[in-house]
Amino acid sequence: MIEANAVYVIVMRELKKFVRERSRLVSTIARPLVWLFLVGGGMSRLVPTGRGVSYMQFIFPGILGMTILFSSIFSSISIIWDKEFGFMKEILVAPISRFSVVVGKATSGMLLSTIQSVIILAFFPVLGLSIGPLQIVGIVFVCAVLAFALSSFGIVLASFYDSYESFSVIMNFIVMPMFFLSGAMYPVKLMPPVLRYFTKVNPLTFGVDALKHLIYPLEKGPMSADFPFVIDVLIILAASLFFVTLGGKAFERKG
Amino acid sequence: MQHIAFFLVNSSMQIIAVRNLVKKFGQIAAVDGISFGVEENTIFGFLGPNGAGKTTTISILCTLLAPTSGTASLNGHDCHAESALVRRSIGIVFQDSSLDKDLTARENLLFHAYLYDVGKSERKKRVEDALAFAELTDRADNLVKTFSGGMKRRLEVARGLIHRPKVLFLDEPTLGLDPQSRANLWEFITDLPKKHNVTIFMTTHYMEEAEVCDRIAVIDKGKIIASGTPAELKKIVGGDVIYLKTTDNRKAVEEIRELFGAEASEKDGEIFISTLRGEACIPAIIREIGERVLSVRMQRPTLNDVFLKLTGKEIREENASAGDDIKEAVRSYRRRHDRG
């Protein structure tokens, strides 16, 4: 059962706090830009990509994925803060289902991540990419679904941890490997077989891959997308459903 | 006889009824078979030292924990099986603040109103009323992190009442407040049953604060060791003590024994008399031997004396007590097993 009033007010709280914390917005926007222009710019000279997209253009879908990954996980990990500072109790004793709490958190994570990825997306002309309006609609849709899946995944993580000491564990052992094993920085098809296996259990891989299809649909060869577009979209939709259900279960288990 | 009386009390409307409640964390029984009832629109005090099982009991009543065995019901609903109905009937002020410090006072109240599905027509009015009630109208749009401890507690109490609960739980509401704010908060709390038609269930380990309660249950090591009105509990320690100084103490002691049949003895130049109704005894003594009395004072037993008598220890022991060990054990058990 989902209570609309609860989902609404949880989302409003997150949006209000997001708008209020300017520094958070600056840092979540700055990280992908640093990667895109400093890492991407430097590597472009090193990585020959033939006649297709440049390396900086190649990682652009991955950088969008990174924006979504970090902001979704951050957003969900705030549950640990809420537990630590006691506000979670206010929510847990309210006459609302645990699932509403999870849906509210996942929805706010989705909205915040999508807004941030749209800001990063606006840099595409600087990279010399041409993206049409229809592609943009597709990109925003994929970003939103991916953000919902990753936010829900973040909620599952947050349900396992009670203190913010665990935050660095999550960042170093889950978030960073997820980023590097997603095809964001190098094509999946060029990875060693062992690593390729990990990319296939990583929902971010399929989100990034879908974005590759949408951002440079004509690309052929080693830098092109690795999986069929339909498969990508189906997998991130399925991951959304799977993690939000798991998050609901993880929350209900408590108390 | 006692059992019949027990049933008679039971049949009247009890807003909270707890029967043989047990909660174990691994091997440790934090609550060990307690039973009690709370009458509607009264203030009920749950007293005990740290780690006695107060917070565990509240958590069960608030549906946050499932009991190991026994039952607890609130407003006629079972706290475990009908948790949704129970949650609608209760407001809670936790031991640790559960406000969002990055939101304003008004936003915290609005959040609560939405969460409890207060209708659109009512919402604004109730939030304004709550702000006025907490005396925070002029600070309504300030972030909660700028508030003092007393302001935060008042805001939390006001928030807990927005959805018009039947029972308001206050878990150590004055913990960490300065004496001035504590006194103000108590004034505020004792008005609640009349003004808001609500039953107060509070825990505290400040014995003097429990004086405002209509009924008290004293809990220690997970068991209720005494219950009754504050006056009834004080009778456990034997009533009031009157101290007298007279021109001739020895003669006065004899006279008092003779006249009142009361227990009187002399110590350090002062006569002390144990009696159940000190305020009625003093005029009688003055009437009989008044011309020889130099000074008179009376001491009432405090709830601290009650606790001391029942357990042989002070309720607040300064050094880390056994209670803290239990608290720590429960906490680490929960970390391992049921997370959060």
Side-chain angles (χ1 to χ4, degrees):
Chain A
M1 198 172 58
I2 303 174
E3 289 89 355
N5 58 312
V7 174
Y8 170 79
V9 77
I10 289 170
V11 171
M12 286 314 287
R13 168 176 177 246
E14 298 293 331
L15 289 182
K16 199 157 250 172
K17 290 177 80 156
F18 181 75
V19 172
R20 222 163 259 172
E21 289 171 51
R22 301 258 161 70
S23 61
R24 185 170 139 197
L25 181 67
V26 170
S27 79
T28 46
I29 298 296
R31 183 187 300 104
L33 292 180
V34 164
W35 277 79
L36 182 60
F37 291 108
L38 302 189
V39 178
M43 296 294 282
S44 286
R45 313 252 161 153
L46 211 62
V47 184
T49 50
R51 296 200 300 154
V53 291
S54 72
Y55 184 71
M56 205 146 77
Q57 289 172 333
F58 164 75
I59 63 168
F60 191 54
I63 295 301
L64 286 177
M66 168 196 238
T67 312
I68 294 163
L69 173 68
F70 277 79
S71 76
S72 298
I73 299 285
F74 265 130
S75 167
S76 298
I77 292 293
S78 71
I79 288 175
I80 297 179
W81 268 253
D82 285 342
K83 281 195 230 173
E84 187 91 7
F85 297 121
F87 189 73
M88 190 46 91
K89 277 190 183 163
E90 156 81 353
I91 296 174
L92 292 182
V93 294
I96 56 169
S97 66
R98 298 286 197 266
F99 194 57
S100 299
V101 180
V102 170
V103 171
K105 275 282 183 185
T107 306
S108 43
M110 175 182 84
L111 286 174
L112 297 181
S113 300
T114 308
I115 291 167
Q116 290 171 62
S117 57
V118 167
I119 294 173
I120 301 298
L121 179 64
F123 282 86
F124 76 84
V126 183
L127 301 172
L129 287 164
S130 59
I131 298 175
L134 215 62
Q135 277 166 288
I136 288 179
V137 172
I139 291 167
V140 172
F141 170 76
V142 168
C143 285
V145 177
L146 179 64
F148 192 85
L150 294 175
S151 297
S152 306
F153 174 67
I155 292 168
V156 176
L157 288 182
S159 74
F160 285 104
Y161 294 99
D162 282 341
S163 70
Y164 48 53
E165 285 88 12
S166 40
F167 181 69
S168 67
V169 176
I170 292 174
M171 278 333 252
N172 289 322
F173 291 97
I174 296 170
V175 174
M176 290 313 281
M178 268 179 86
F179 171 61
F180 287 114
L181 293 171
S182 68
M185 301 303 287
Y186 16 79
V188 173
K189 55 175 93 62
L190 300 184
M191 285 187 190
V194 187
L195 294 186
R196 225 181 299 158
Y197 171 76
F198 283 109
T199 61
K200 284 181 187 161
V201 294
N202 181 358
L204 182 61
T205 307
F206 301 96
V208 169
D209 202 60
L211 292 172
K212 287 178 183 170
H213 278 291
L214 290 164
I215 290 172
Y216 32 81
L218 303 174
E219 180 69 12
K220 300 272 178 285
M223 307 315 267
S224 63
D226 298 286
F227 309 98
F229 181 69
V230 179
I231 299 287
D232 290 335
V233 173
L234 285 178
I235 287 179
I236 56 174
L237 281 169
S240 294
L241 217 62
F242 174 71
F243 286 121
V244 79
T245 311
L246 198 64
K249 289 271 175 277
F251 250 65
E252 260 156 43
R253 203 162 46 87
K254 284 178 282 180
Chain B
M1 244 340 253
Q2 245 184 342
H3 283 157
I4 294 165
F6 184 69
F7 270 102
L8 285 175
V9 171
N10 235 350
S11 61
S12 77
M13 179 54 194
Q14 285 193 332
I15 193 85
I16 298 174
V18 171
R19 296 287 165 261
N20 302 321
L21 195 68
V22 176
K23 178 67 191 179
K24 285 186 179 163
F25 296 102
Q27 291 299 307
I28 306 145
V31 172
D32 197 2
I34 61 172
S35 300
F36 62 89
V38 179
E39 300 284 320
E40 215 171 342
N41 295 352
T42 58
I43 301 182
F44 182 84
F46 210 45
L47 267 69
N50 274 330
K54 296 178 304 237
T55 300
T56 305
T57 307
I58 282 205
S59 299
I60 293 170
L61 289 171
C62 296
T63 76
L64 286 176
L65 276 179
T68 307
S69 67
T71 61
S73 74
L74 194 148
N75 199 18
H77 309 299
D78 186 272
C79 292
H80 184 53
E82 301 169 290
S83 60
L85 290 167
V86 170
R87 285 186 197 168
R88 288 206 171 273
S89 324
I90 58 174
I92 309 157
V93 177
F94 292 102
Q95 207 165 358
D96 307 309
S97 167
S98 66
L99 295 164
D100 188 334
K101 293 165 197 66
D102 296 319
L103 294 180
T104 66
R106 180 178 279 121
E107 285 164 352
N108 267 289
L109 296 173
L110 269 174
F111 185 90
H112 189 89
Y114 273 102
L115 215 50
Y116 284 77
D117 210 9
V118 174
K120 198 183 171 193
S121 52
E122 276 278 287
R123 209 181 290 139
K124 213 174 137 57
K125 186 184 174 302
R126 288 207 201 172
V127 167
E128 293 309 318
D129 286 351
L131 284 167
F133 177 56
E135 295 160 32
L136 288 170
T137 306
D138 53 332
R139 299 289 302 270
D141 296 313
N142 293 28
L143 294 183
V144 169
K145 64 178 159 202
T146 65
F147 286 10
S148 71
M151 290 160 80
K152 282 186 211 159
R153 282 299 153 92
R154 290 206 306 273
L155 180 60
E156 277 192 280
V157 174
R159 181 181 69 175
L161 292 168
I162 278 190
H163 58 285
R164 309 266 157 88
K166 301 290 285 178
V167 180
L168 182 68
F169 289 94
L170 303 170
D171 193 4
E172 302 273 359
T174 57
L175 200 71
L177 296 186
D178 59 89
Q180 173 86 46
S181 325
R182 271 170 61 182
N184 289 343
L185 189 67
W186 278 121
E187 222 170 280
F188 182 76
I189 288 170
T190 44
D191 279 346
L192 293 177
K194 278 188 267 50
K195 273 193 192 157
H196 289 266
N197 194 29
V198 66
T199 308
I200 305 286
F201 184 107
M202 55 165 256
T203 72
T204 182
H205 67 277
Y206 294 108
M207 289 308 234
E208 57 275 25
E209 294 188 337
E211 302 276 352
V212 304
C213 297
D214 296 304
R215 285 189 78 79
I216 289 171
V218 182
I219 182 169
D220 188 37
K221 296 184 186 126
K223 286 186 156 64
I224 289 181
I225 52 175
S227 64
T229 64
E232 281 168 359
L233 287 180
K234 285 175 194 166
K235 282 186 190 146
I236 296 173
V237 294
D240 307 330
V241 181
I242 298 167
Y243 294 88
L244 274 183
K245 273 186 187 159
T246 63
T247 49
D248 186 349
N249 281 349
R250 196 168 307 164
K251 193 162 168 238
V253 168
E254 269 170 38
E255 279 180 330
I256 288 163
R257 280 186 187 151
E258 227 167 86
L259 288 167
F260 305 104
E263 197 56 45
S265 40
E266 191 193 347
K267 195 187 167 200
D268 300 332
E270 230 178 3
I271 303 168
F272 64 96
I273 308 151
S274 297
T275 170
L276 280 181
R277 294 185 59 230
E279 71 276 11
C281 262
I282 291 174
I285 291 169
I286 301 295
R287 260 199 308 279
E288 297 298 331
I289 58 166
E291 66 274 17
R292 269 168 288 143
V293 173
L294 297 174
S295 74
V296 60
R297 66 189 174 93
M298 183 174 85
Q299 200 165 331
R300 301 223 112 130
T302 63
L303 287 169
N304 251 325
D305 299 327
V306 176
F307 194 79
L308 189 62
K309 172 109 176 190
L310 288 170
T311 65
K313 66 185 183 207
E314 294 274 342
I315 194 157
R316 268 178 289 162
E317 284 178 340
E318 295 308 321
N319 45 359
S321 59
D324 288 326
D325 293 345
I326 293 175
K327 263 198 161 166
E328 187 44 46
V330 166
R331 215 174 280 143
S332 76
Y333 177 86
R334 296 195 61 185
R335 260 202 296 275
R336 275 176 281 125
H337 295 267
D338 44 32
R339 335 213 66 98

